[in-house]
Amino acid sequence: MTEIPTIKLNDGNEMPQFGFGVFQIPDHDEAVKTVEMALANGYRLIDTAEAYNNQKAVGEGMKNSGVDRSDIFLTTKLWVSNFSYEKAKTAIDNDLEELGTDYIDLILLHQAYGDVYGAWRAMEEVLCFGWIDTTHKRINGVDMQRFTPRSKRSQWSELNKERCRRLEKLGLMTKAERKELPDMSEDAFKIDPDIKAAFDENLIAWENFQKFPKLYQRVRIDSIQRNKKKDQAVFDKRLKKLIEQSEKNKMFGQWNNYGRLLEY
């Protein structure tokens, strides 16, 4: 497939202009294979929804595809029955679990009906923690974001932490919000021994990797090791790709929010 052009959204993220939707594919196995084939053929935007009843299959197809999660733009939609503040927060948590991912690139309100404002509030709350990368609100011409506590069971990724460092530097963090943060020091980040051992067997890859930006190093390592306990096969596959690309002196995947985390 010819490379698909992207369009820049209001918050700076880029979204493929052409994607693959899974509406009316409720059969689990069929949906899994469909997503695998779509990604194998070059699609990088996958569109699903709570009402499609196939989010688990979409997540499984993404995992089986071998395509790095950071290279996929994933869209889902909140169904109207979840349009309230509390229901939307619960629904988004469930969406993440069904999709088997730590973040969703874009969440849409499937119908503008009912407590749309309450659902929007919930979407704002999860934005800054990296659960949703793309939602946008302007008040009097100023971009607005809210920062509130995330679900206790949700992990902090290195990308999420960097987003919060950016908010701090921009003067958008409050005292109460800082209390919810984990250890934000870069020195607190540790590399899994198995990853370091793999690099020790390929010193060229390690030497190249050490020259890459520190944020890239943390995000790439974190994206591999944070799910090690969940799926060893995925851990091994992602580690293999990291070693291979590092040996070629190549960086890959989205790791800086399309440049927003490079200079702020």
Side-chain angles (χ1 to χ4, degrees):
M1 177 183 289
T2 303
E3 185 175 352
I4 299 173
T6 61
I7 184 170
K8 182 172 288 188
L9 303 177
N10 287 332
D11 64 354
N13 280 322
E14 294 189 14
M15 176 180 179
Q17 294 188 31
F18 190 63
F20 191 90
V22 292
F23 178 51
Q24 294 185 329
I25 313 179
D27 181 80
H28 180 85
D29 292 341
E30 183 179 358
V32 171
K33 293 179 181 178
T34 299
V35 171
E36 290 176 0
M37 288 190 293
L39 292 170
N41 281 281
Y43 287 97
R44 288 299 179 265
L45 188 161
I46 301 296
D47 180 286
T48 184
E50 293 173 357
Y52 297 173
N53 296 313
N54 55 21
Q55 290 191 135
K56 288 185 178 179
V58 168
E60 188 175 327
M62 288 168 52
K63 184 176 71 173
N64 294 346
S65 71
V67 177
D68 194 271
R69 172 64 185 90
S70 62
D71 292 329
I72 301 173
F73 192 100
L74 176 62
T75 299
T76 193
K77 310 172 192 72
L78 285 175
W79 185 236
V80 64
S81 60
N82 290 320
F83 281 13
S84 75
Y85 173 71
E86 293 297 339
K87 288 182 179 179
K89 289 185 69 174
T90 300
I92 292 171
D93 197 30
N94 183 65
D95 293 340
L96 289 163
E97 184 173 347
E98 286 195 348
L99 290 163
T101 185
D102 296 313
Y103 68 97
I104 299 166
D105 296 278
L106 174 63
I107 287 187
L108 303 174
L109 300 180
H110 213 151
Q111 296 182 18
Y113 178 81
D115 187 8
V116 174
Y117 176 71
W120 180 269
R121 284 178 54 218
M123 291 169 65
E124 284 186 312
E125 287 202 4
V126 300
L127 170 65
C128 289
F129 298 99
W131 288 355
I132 307 174
D133 272 356
T134 301
T135 188
H136 187 72
K137 186 175 183 180
R138 293 178 67 85
I139 298 178
N140 297 326
V142 179
D143 291 327
M144 303 297 291
Q145 289 181 324
R146 261 176 35 149
F147 181 91
T148 51
R150 66 194 281 122
S151 169
K152 291 183 178 179
R153 75 177 188 174
S154 182
Q155 296 180 5
W156 280 89
S157 71
E158 288 301 305
L159 192 58
N160 295 345
K161 290 180 181 179
E162 195 65 24
R163 290 188 180 107
C164 293
R165 293 187 185 102
R166 175 176 176 270
L167 289 179
E168 180 69 71
K169 191 166 184 179
L170 293 176
L172 301 177
M173 193 78 70
T174 68
K175 185 176 182 180
E177 292 161 354
R178 292 189 190 98
K179 292 181 180 180
E180 303 298 331
L181 298 175
D183 185 349
M184 297 292 286
S185 66
E186 296 181 10
D187 293 338
F189 180 73
K190 306 297 181 184
I191 298 180
D192 184 277
D194 288 343
I195 295 178
K196 186 58 171 66
F199 268 117
D200 287 342
E201 295 179 2
N202 190 324
L203 296 181
I204 293 178
W206 177 245
E207 182 178 345
N208 291 338
F209 185 73
Q210 289 292 96
K211 295 178 182 178
F212 294 146
K214 295 298 182 183
L215 177 59
Y216 173 84
Q217 294 180 36
R218 296 198 307 274
V219 170
R220 284 277 70 82
I221 293 292
D222 179 60
S223 68
I224 297 172
Q225 66 188 26
R226 67 199 311 263
N227 291 315
K228 180 181 179 181
K229 293 182 180 179
K230 293 182 181 179
D231 196 319
Q232 184 66 41
V234 172
F235 172 84
D236 294 338
K237 181 187 296 184
R238 291 180 176 177
L239 176 55
K240 183 174 182 288
K241 179 177 181 179
L242 177 63
I243 298 295
E244 291 175 345
Q245 293 301 305
S246 297
E247 184 177 15
K248 297 175 183 177
N249 202 28
K250 292 182 178 180
M251 296 190 294
F252 66 95
Q254 179 50 240
W255 56 277
N256 57 40
N257 275 187
Y258 302 95
R260 285 185 298 167
L261 300 180
L262 293 179
E263 296 181 6
Y264 54 85

